[in-house]
Amino acid sequence: MAPIQVKKICCIGAGYVGGPTCAVIAAKCPHIQVTIVDLNKQRVDAWNSDNLPIYEPGLDEVVKGARGKNLFFSTDVDKGIAEADLIFVSVNTPTKKSGIGAGFAADLNYLQLATRRIAEVSTTSKIVVEKSTVPCKTAESMRTILEANSKPGCTFDILSNPEFLAEGTAIADLFAPDRVLIGSLQTQSGLDACAALSEVYANWVPRERILTVGLWSSELSKLAANAMLAQRISSINALSAICEATGANIDEVAFAVGKDSRVGPKFLKASVGFGGSCFQKDILNLVYLSESLHLPEVAKYWKAVVEMNEHQKSRFARKVVDTLFNTITGKKIAILGWAFKKDTGDTRESPSISIANHFLNEKARLSLYDPQVTEEQIWLDLTDYGAIPAEPIKPHVSIQQSAEEACKGAEAIVVCTEWDEFKTLDWEKIYANCPRPAFVFDGRLMLDRKKLQKIGFRVVTIGTADGY
Ligand SMILES: NC(=O)C1=CN([C@@H]2O[C@H](COP(=O)(O)OP(=O)(O)OC[C@H]3O[C@@H](n4cnc5c(N)ncnc54)[C@H](O)[C@@H]3O)[C@@H](O)[C@H]2O)C=CC1
Ligand SMILES: O=C(O)[C@H]1O[C@H](OP(=O)(O)OP(=O)(O)OC[C@H]2O[C@@H](n3ccc(=O)[nH]c3=O)[C@H](O)[C@@H]2O)[C@H](O)[C@@H](O)[C@@H]1O
């Protein structure tokens, strides 16, 4: 039998995943109409404007090429659902803040509300695809909600199709993914739905990269992939502390270890710690799942990855204080980079936030710069979205429009995000405007240490012994 032809796709959630993912589907499948819906009007308006709500290299071209032709952004969630034959659910699934599992479990409220809406609005059968990252077995609760609320004659097939894109390289990742993973029930209708979604991806992804598995394997693979990637970073960061104490160099160690083809060279860059909206959230989710399954040793194992990350962030911040002769009270410190990694404006769980808070607690004066993060966003982060009053912090923080401006008069320059532009700054000019001794703390091992030392800077990097 020929696979079901998907003609209209709706994506619920126009965020970092829903937006780029479905824009790429529209670009690669001109015969499919793609509508991305969101309750957030401001976000939808931005998607429909020249100023997209997220910064992602290559995204503008993709959106502008398809928007108004077969790609639409709308706040009319119900219409989007009603018209579609396949619906991606790509809403946020943050860590729960209160109630059972607070601090660990995923908050599935947004996902369940979207699922209910699908059941209430649909008058024809649909394929419903979990795009959000969810705990294992979430598809089962979605099916229960859909079946309990569906109209006569409406059936729903649920697929898991987790997203593996990384921010900053989202478009490249979506154009040429390592793999596309689709999980389905192994029933005839589950397999048919899986074949229909596979056909959509097959418009540009080689068939051998489209992996089809059971629903629960697919859900768990997403948490596992993020946990294992984060684990590599915590492992290399743990080793960076040993390097600093012994005189070994973490880049050399990572290079030597990564040459083993069983280990591989990627994701072994020591840093101030990993950030981003997902690594911590997904590992904590795995910890919660393990505890719920009465597997305390497994839970403890994964929790250590997050604990090591917290340790790395505070270890780095403490090192700055220690090096500046044990006090930074009243001293001006420049923080270069606020996003959680380069080539994104996303600041969720950015290590810069923890490090800045540490410095503010020590009563330093901060001068901040990031090429993509807005001043408004930095204030939201510093005040924990309004939970902390801004007034007491304001006199101690200035946000600058260039790295050079941020570094003027700073006793220490702390590089937290690996933006390429930091490599090519006029470091001599910066040095001329700093009091002595002038310190650079390279939290990303990205600067030319020897060159900076020659200029006169004292340079401290993660994962190498001191010696300026
Ligand atoms: N950010 C990333 O790089 C990646 C995220 N993921 C996962 O994808 C999911 C989405 O993540 P992001 O796109 O980063 O989140 P996001 O917060 O940027 O976007 C989610 C959007 O869903 C909307 N929304 C929530 N409930 C809704 C409803 N009932 N109806 C309509 N719209 C609704 C929100 O207004 C928001 O704009 C999460 O589960 C995340 O773990 C997976 C891979 C990569
Ligand atoms: O589920 C998700 O949200 C996504 O999470 C990560 O993507 P992302 O968080 O966007 O970015 P990464 O490149 O993974 O970087 C995460 C953090 O780790 C840090 N990192 C990364 C690599 C490395 O070697 N060292 C290191 O410190 C980065 O600077 C950043 O703070 C995964 O790489 C994606 O596959 C996944 O889809």
Side-chain angles (χ1 to χ4, degrees):
M1 202 178 77
I4 309 161
Q5 286 278 322
V6 175
K7 295 194 181 80
K8 288 189 180 178
I9 289 179
C10 170
C11 173
I12 306 180
Y16 286 88
V17 168
T21 308
C22 286
V24 166
I25 292 181
K28 297 290 186 183
C29 311
H31 55 289
I32 299 180
Q33 180 186 307
V34 180
T35 306
I36 307 177
V37 296
D38 203 295
L39 297 171
N40 183 333
K41 183 171 181 317
Q42 205 186 347
R43 218 167 196 186
V44 170
D45 287 348
W47 279 111
N48 280 320
S49 76
D50 283 340
N51 203 0
L52 300 184
I54 61 177
Y55 171 70
E56 195 62 65
L59 179 64
D60 273 32
E61 291 75 14
V62 171
V63 170
K64 284 173 190 162
R67 197 173 56 192
K69 293 178 190 149
N70 66 329
L71 174 65
F72 304 92
F73 295 91
S74 166
T75 49
D76 196 341
V77 177
D78 290 0
K79 183 163 176 264
I81 293 172
E83 286 182 349
D85 32 39
L86 183 145
I87 301 168
F88 284 106
V89 181
S90 185
V91 299
N92 34 331
T93 50
T95 305
K96 267 183 95 170
K97 288 208 167 117
S98 59
I100 297 169
F104 288 91
D107 180 351
L108 296 176
N109 198 30
Y110 302 98
L111 184 104
Q112 292 188 4
L113 287 173
T115 309
R116 275 185 191 281
R117 208 65 219 142
I118 296 172
E120 277 157 28
V121 170
S122 298
T123 50
T124 54
S125 296
K126 317 270 180 207
I127 297 172
V128 178
V129 186
E130 268 177 0
K131 191 51 128 173
S132 300
T133 302
V134 291
C136 202
K137 292 263 172 181
T138 301
E140 196 158 276
S141 53
M142 284 174 83
R143 193 171 66 233
T144 309
I145 293 173
L146 288 168
E147 283 174 359
N149 295 285
S150 65
K151 302 205 169 51
C154 266
T155 58
F156 297 98
D157 281 297
I158 299 171
L159 300 176
S160 158
N161 172 220
E163 185 48 60
F164 295 101
L165 68 80
E167 288 178 31
T169 54
I171 298 302
D173 294 344
L174 289 164
F175 276 10
D178 286 349
R179 80 305 209 183
V180 165
L181 183 63
I182 307 176
S184 69
L185 282 183
Q186 302 302 296
T187 58
Q188 192 53 52
S189 79
L191 293 169
D192 289 348
C194 181
L197 182 56
S198 299
E199 285 306 306
V200 173
Y201 284 110
N203 282 291
W204 79 97
V205 179
R207 295 248 178 215
E208 64 277 12
R209 294 197 176 195
I210 304 175
L211 316 182
T212 55
V213 297
L215 263 179
W216 323 132
S217 302
S218 174
E219 289 177 335
L220 187 57
S221 299
K222 173 62 198 178
L223 295 184
N226 273 358
M228 292 186 76
L229 288 169
Q231 180 208 45
R232 280 174 78 95
I233 303 170
S234 276
S235 297
I236 207 74
N237 282 343
L239 289 165
S240 76
I242 299 181
C243 288
E244 287 163 36
T246 56
N249 175 310
I250 195 62
D251 267 349
E252 290 175 356
V253 173
F255 182 72
V257 173
K259 275 287 175 193
D260 187 324
S261 59
R262 294 167 300 176
V263 177
K266 293 184 183 166
F267 256 71
L268 288 179
K269 188 76 184 168
S271 67
V272 280
F274 59 76
S277 62
C278 293
F279 278 176
Q280 175 171 311
K281 157 176 93 66
D282 294 346
I283 294 173
L284 294 177
N285 195 336
L286 198 58
V287 169
Y288 184 71
L289 182 71
S290 310
E291 272 166 2
S292 314
L293 297 169
H294 308 291
L295 301 167
E297 292 80 5
V298 178
K300 197 170 152 204
Y301 174 77
W302 288 114
K303 202 172 169 199
V305 173
V306 173
E307 286 167 352
M308 180 51 63
N309 196 48
E310 288 304 311
H311 175 66
Q312 185 75 350
K313 287 187 278 184
S314 60
R315 199 173 71 77
F316 181 66
R318 276 204 316 271
K319 188 157 191 163
V320 173
V321 180
D322 291 352
T323 310
L324 293 183
F325 318 109
N326 295 318
T327 177
I328 55 171
T329 303
K331 292 182 181 169
K332 178 168 176 176
I333 299 190
I335 295 185
L336 299 189
W338 195 257
F340 79 96
K341 61 185 282 198
K342 74 170 182 177
D343 292 339
T344 177
D346 195 353
T347 64
R348 290 178 289 180
E349 304 295 339
S350 175
S352 304
I353 303 171
S354 325
I355 290 164
N357 283 333
H358 189 107
F359 294 162
L360 284 172
N361 278 335
E362 296 288 337
K363 306 208 174 348
R365 288 182 297 130
L366 301 186
S367 174
L368 314 176
Y369 168 70
D370 188 284
Q372 281 298 331
V373 181
T374 61
E375 188 162 343
E376 187 193 359
Q377 182 60 50
I378 294 178
W379 278 112
L380 286 172
D381 293 330
L382 283 171
T383 58
D384 196 11
Y385 282 77
I388 302 166
E391 289 315 312
I393 315 174
K394 275 201 168 141
H396 305 285
V397 177
S398 71
I399 297 163
Q400 303 297 342
Q401 296 309 310
S402 74
E404 257 179 41
E405 204 52 46
C407 294
K408 259 189 200 152
E411 298 195 33
I413 298 165
V414 181
V415 177
C416 286
T417 312
E418 75 283 24
W419 285 102
D420 289 336
E421 67 173 67
F422 300 156
K423 287 187 191 156
T424 53
L425 294 173
D426 185 344
W427 285 102
E428 298 201 1
K429 193 167 161 203
I430 290 174
Y431 183 69
N433 286 321
C434 287
R436 308 286 187 265
F439 287 95
V440 170
F441 293 86
D442 184 358
R444 292 289 185 165
L445 292 105
M446 64 174 296
L447 300 175
D448 184 338
R449 180 182 179 134
K450 288 212 171 88
K451 186 179 134 194
L452 291 179
Q453 283 171 330
K454 221 168 139 204
I455 294 171
F457 281 109
R458 296 188 180 190
V459 185
V460 177
T461 52
I462 290 265
T464 59
D466 286 344
Y468 305 138

